[in-house]
Structures are given as C-alpha cells and as structure tokens.
Amino acid sequence: MGSEDVYITGTDMIKFGKFPDRSIASLGAEAALLALDDAGVTINDIEALYSGNLLMAAGMVGQQIQQEIGQTGIPVVNCSNACATGATALREGWTAIKAGIYDIVLAVGVEKLAGAGMLGGGGGSRSGISPEGLLGSGAMPCVFAEAGMAHSRKYGTTFEQFAQIAVKNHHHSTMNPKARYQIETPLEEVMNAEMISYPNTKLMCSANVDGAAAAVLMSEKKMKELGLGSQAVRIRASVLTTDPWTDRDEVMPDVNTCTRNAAAQAYEMAGVGPEDLDLVELHDCFATAEVLHYENLGLCADGEAGKLIDEKATWHGGRIPVNLSGGLLSKGHPIGATGIANVYEIATHLRGNAGKRQAEGARIGLAHVIGLGTCCGIHILEAPSS
Amino acid sequence: MSEHPLPITPLVQIPESGDPYLQGFKCKSCGAITLKSRMACAKCGGRDTLEPFRLSTKGTLHAYSIIYRAFPGIDVPFVSAIADLEGGGTIKTNLIDVEPDPEKIQLGMDVDVVFQIAPRKDAEGNEYLAYFLKPAA
Ligand SMILES: [Zn+2]
C-alpha cells in the first residue's frame, strides 16, 4: 500500500428532503459544487469522479452530474453497493490516490428515495407463489427487527431500549439544519407510533429521502501544495468487507460479522482503538441495528449495549456520541448518498464546524455503513493537525 | 394444473409415501449446513462436497418479528420467525398457532416444523405445500 496519506479537503451535503421537481443529476451536482467550493478547487482540477447511486445504477449518474458541472473528459466510475454505495465510491477514490494514480478526485453520492415504500426487499414473486408473509417476511423492517430480537434473546435487550435509540437520534437532528426532520420524539411517542415490525415502530425506521453528499479527496502532496492543511481531514482507515459464511445467514442477513471484521481491520489500519474515538456515525437504518453496532464496533463490550443506552453514553455530551447528525432515522437515508453524508458529518465535527451538535474537541471519528446483501464500509478520520 | 400440491420452495420434499420434510445440504468437508444447493460450499469453497441433508422438525426460536405493515394482499399481523433446528440448519417462516404478542412468544422456546397447504394458489390454480413453525407440542 502506498505510504502517502489521503485527505478530505472539501466536503458537503445538501439538506436532505423531498425534491420531486429536481433531477437526480442536479442534486448530485449541487453537492459536488459545494464540496469543490469547500476545497477551493474547480471541476477542472479533478482527475477522476466516483459516483455512488443505487436505484439508477444503469443510468450513468456520474456522467449526468458531469453534464451539470463540467464535462472535462475525466474517468468516471459509477458505483452501486446497496446501502454502502456512497462509502464504496469514496473508497474507490481513496484507493486510486493511495495507488498513486491521481492526486485529486471527487466522490459524489446521490439518491432520490422520497416517497419510496417503507418495506424494501421482500415481496418479490418468483415462480409459483410469493413466499412473503408465508415463509416469514423479507421486508427490511422485519430483517432488522429479527436481528435486534436475536440480541434480545442473548442479552435481554428491551423494546424500550431499542426505542431510546430513536429518541436520541431524533433529538440530535434538532441541532442539524441539514437533517430531513428536526423534531423531538419523546419515548412514549416513539413506542406508541405505528408498529411496523415489532420491535420497530415507524419512528424507529430510517426516513426515505432525496439527498446528495460529496467529498474532494487529495494526496498529501496536493493538499500541502494547495495549503489546505488547516481543513484537511486525514483518512486514517478505509475498509470494505463482505459477509463471510455464517450459520444463519441464508435466512438472517449477517450485518454483525462483516462489521466486526471491518472494524478490526480499520482500527489496525488507523492504529487506534474504539477508546480513541470521539464520535461515531453508524448505520441506524432501524433503531434495532444501532444497538448491534455498538458492540460490533467495540464501543462497549458484548452484552453491554443496553447499559450504554441506559447511561445515555451515546447522546450528545456523552462518553461516545453516536449519530449526532440525527442518523438515518431522522437526517434521512438517501441510499447512495448516505455513506458520504456520514463522512461529511464526521469531518465537520473534526473541523469544529458542527455548531450546536459539535462533539467537543473531536480528534478522531468513525463512519460506518452496511449494505444488505451484504457488505460493510468503515472510514476512520482524523482532525486537521494545524 | 398439478393434481398434488407443489413444494413452495425447493427446500420442501414431498415423497411418494410418507411425510413431507425439509431437505438442505451438508458439506462433507467442513460440515456447513445450507438450505440451497450451490456450485461449491459457501463456507469452505469445497467442490462436489454438498450432500442432501434432511433437516429436523424440532428446533428453538432464535428471533422473530411481529409484522403489522406488509405488502398489499398480505394479512397482518403475522409473526416472522427464525428457528435453529436440531442437528443443524436454520430456517425462517411464519410462527403460527400463537398470539402475535411479545408477551406470548418466548425467545429460545422449543418449536416444531409443520407442513400445511399455503392459503394462496398461483395463477394456474396450483396449490403449494408450505412449512411453518409452531410452539412445540
Ligand atoms: Zn464446506
């Protein structure tokens, strides 16, 4: 692996929401231009573009974005990797710089998901009759509910503890002007919301939104040449894993093992441990999922996620704040953008620009996503040194 | 149209005589038990190592969810459940003969695999034999 570090020198996201009158390219282009402006460069400086989008994977979205912001003839890679799509696009850019091929690349993630049904997955009829609703459910709220209940079986995690995750993330989003929703949701409201798939109520399911996020990546040489040291966030680790065979994974997608493997690799690559993290953005596609990842990422010992919740350790101001952006539950989950938006969130804290939700004095942060099918992307980032 | 019910998935085996059963595969090299045939073993990559393996009808409830919002045409609530079977293998299907109430469903409880005709038919009117879980007798 190349010895030179890779830096994020510019990053931004659009406010997530519902934009029925706008093209996917215009959303991606807006985020791209914001990130370019943040880095103080233009599309003419960019040597390659990595575009993440899931639902229009065959639509050459990266090129459509170029058509909005400048067709400079550079290579464009269109990435699709389920909910890890954005993280994968960013990592492809990191890989290319690490390999010494480019000094400055742009990663963009974009999705139009507002108005999509909540269920995702499942439903599909093959030959014969659809097994959905007979052989259990393959819908996403059920898949992640069952993953949470396996944790309950092992450690006694309660519906109320799962619900507290949503209370926290919705609370955090009230401090994030770019979140889709900024509404406090007290515990009773979360628990009494429409039950979608026990134990996940509607307020414990991620928000389907339109959104885009982007990041400019530079080699150390280019970053120094442009004098961007005071805003350059160092990528200490970039890891992508898939799910190795585990005994239940044909009926129960295993989001745990690939996260544990990715975390171990990321901590080793970064030379840090979970105790060194100042904040985490993790893949709370459902409230139940966040609980699993506390342990998967080593934020607490196995079996102590419930205690972490009870102690409010992952709230703003707590020992290890998680999803200060509001998370997928309240900021929103525009699939292809999600993995770059959570990197933006970490970088914003590391640069001290997160306003009311700032993680005080943050130096090291971790961004995590899961794509069902299955894969996991983790980035560990470090604050600018000067 | 078939005179006899068809298997809802290839997992279901309907012998000429005797009870239906679930047939997975077991790797003779590493012991992994899978529900579907593959080109090579998903665990060890072994070629030609997967052999048919009859799954038990006894198991324990590993996880479940009570589904209240489903795709159109699917009756709710229902319980989606995952059970580890004795001797290996894990299946997912509806848990029946139980109230859809977390108070009434114990994680880790013993469950049986039972076979019933599915309540829907295909476009040609064929019936399907499905497998379900229910609290152990
Ligand atoms: Zn094997």
Side-chain angles (χ1 to χ4, degrees), chain A residues 13-101:
Chain A
M13 59 180 271
I14 65 168
K15 179 183 170 13
F16 288 176
K18 195 173 180 181
F19 307 104
D21 302 328
R22 290 189 55 184
S23 71
I24 194 158
S26 82
L27 299 178
E30 183 181 340
L33 290 174
L34 287 166
L36 291 171
D37 289 349
D38 186 36
V41 297
T42 75
I43 189 65
N44 295 299
D45 300 306
I46 300 296
E47 296 174 288
L49 169 62
Y50 298 86
S51 172
N53 173 266
L54 184 66
L55 296 185
M56 291 178 61
M60 304 296 264
V61 170
Q63 283 84 339
Q64 289 186 41
I65 290 169
Q66 274 193 315
Q67 288 156 20
E68 292 281 338
I69 65 173
Q71 289 173 245
T72 55
I74 57 171
V76 173
V77 178
N78 289 289
C79 299
S80 156
N81 214 9
C83 299
T85 290
T88 302
L90 188 127
R91 187 172 189 277
E92 287 299 302
W94 172 86
T95 305
I97 293 177
K98 205 77 181 156
I101 299 170

Side-chain angles (χ1 to χ4, degrees), chain A residues 6 19 58 60 134 167 172 200 214 230 257 284 294 325 339 363 381:
Chain A
V6 179
F19 307 104
M60 304 296 264
L134 294 174
V167 176
H172 286 163
N200 284 323
S230 65
T257 309
D284 60 325
Y294 287 169
S325 66
R363 298 289 311 161
L381 307 178

Side-chain angles (χ1 to χ4, degrees), chain B residues 27 29-30 32 41 43-44 49:
Chain B
C27 175
S29 175
C30 74
C41 173
K43 183 174 182 183
C44 74
T49 59

